[in-house]
Amino acid sequence: MVQLHVVVVCSVVGFLGLVLVILGVASEAATALALVGLSKDGLYDVNKCVYQTTPALACGIVAGLLALAVQIAVTTTSLLCGCCRTWELPRAARHIVGIVLSVVSWIFVIIVVALFIAGAAMNTDQKRQPTTDGKCPVDPGSVLFAAATVFSLVATVSQIASYVLLAPAKGSTKPLATQQQPEVAMGQPRQDADEVVAGGDPLPPSAPPLSQPTEPTSKV
């Protein structure tokens, strides 16, 4: 049976992953508003492409920070709920796969953050050289936002899978190696304090009880 905290965390991560996709699509669409036109630069009379700040700047920064925050939250929750618990032998394989997926999600999140920030930096007020054919790119950073959106989906799936695998199963908190309690052999008599002879060693368990000498009866 799936535990409640697993359902809640996976639902929240999935929702935030959808928000990342929306921000990525919005950022990519906003890049088309960046191009203003051509200008002449100083005495050299060199045509340059002029770009203005677009909403992609804010969307890219927010998306990058959100992706990083979600990754940190999922990793912390996994450590508190599952990764630091002692594991049992049947769960060892799941534990290893969960750690691998967590590392993979971190790699993709770092790539996503870098792409979002780079795309946002390209959507600020600036001037650039035109391409070799004399044209200006209409949508600077659009490819970066598209790649970040796709990688964010992969990171979200990896986050959910790693948390599910690292989450402890209900009632699975036994350590890997438990200390064996010494067992008392069946049929072994237990020595009590009253069986110890004062000033001497305890009687062996197999020794027969001492018999009291009987006085001979005299015949009348």
Side-chain angles (χ1 to χ4, degrees):
M1 183 178 179
V2 181
Q3 299 187 37
L4 179 61
H5 69 89
V6 177
V7 177
V8 172
V9 172
C10 293
S11 301
V12 173
V13 173
F15 173 75
L16 295 178
L18 179 61
V19 173
L20 284 176
V21 173
I22 295 175
L23 290 175
V25 173
S27 301
E28 183 179 0
T31 56
L33 305 175
L35 179 62
V36 175
L38 292 173
S39 68
K40 292 184 179 181
D41 186 16
L43 300 176
Y44 296 99
D45 195 20
V46 177
N47 292 330
K48 286 191 175 182
C49 303
V50 180
Y51 295 91
Q52 65 179 354
T53 303
T54 66
L57 174 63
C59 290
I61 294 176
V62 172
L65 295 178
L66 181 60
L68 185 60
V70 172
Q71 181 64 32
I72 294 175
V74 172
T75 303
T76 304
T77 308
S78 299
L79 290 174
L80 294 177
C81 295
C83 187
C84 287
R85 290 177 179 266
T86 53
W87 10 312
E88 298 173 345
L89 283 176
R91 285 180 48 85
R94 292 184 57 185
H95 196 92
I96 295 175
V97 175
I99 293 177
V100 171
L101 289 177
S102 180
V103 173
V104 170
S105 66
W106 266 106
I107 295 175
F108 276 104
V109 164
I110 292 174
I111 296 175
V112 167
V113 173
L115 291 175
F116 272 126
I117 298 300
M122 296 179 66
N123 283 265
T124 57
D125 293 333
Q126 56 185 306
K127 296 179 181 180
R128 293 188 177 186
Q129 294 288 346
T131 58
T132 55
D133 55 359
K135 296 182 180 180
C136 297
V138 178
D139 48 358
S142 177
V143 178
L144 299 179
F145 287 125
T149 303
V150 175
F151 287 150
S152 65
L153 290 175
V154 179
T156 300
V157 174
S158 301
Q159 289 167 350
I160 294 176
S162 65
Y163 184 81
V164 171
L165 292 175
L166 292 176
K170 190 174 182 179
S172 62
T173 58
K174 295 181 180 180
L176 179 63
T178 57
Q179 295 182 354
Q180 299 293 335
Q181 297 295 334
E183 298 181 357
V184 179
M186 299 301 295
Q188 181 72 20
R190 182 178 178 181
Q191 296 180 355
D192 296 328
D194 56 353
E195 294 180 351
V196 180
V197 180
D201 297 327
L203 293 176
S206 60
L210 298 176
S211 58
Q212 298 294 334
T214 57
E215 297 180 355
T217 57
S218 59
K219 294 182 181 181
V220 180

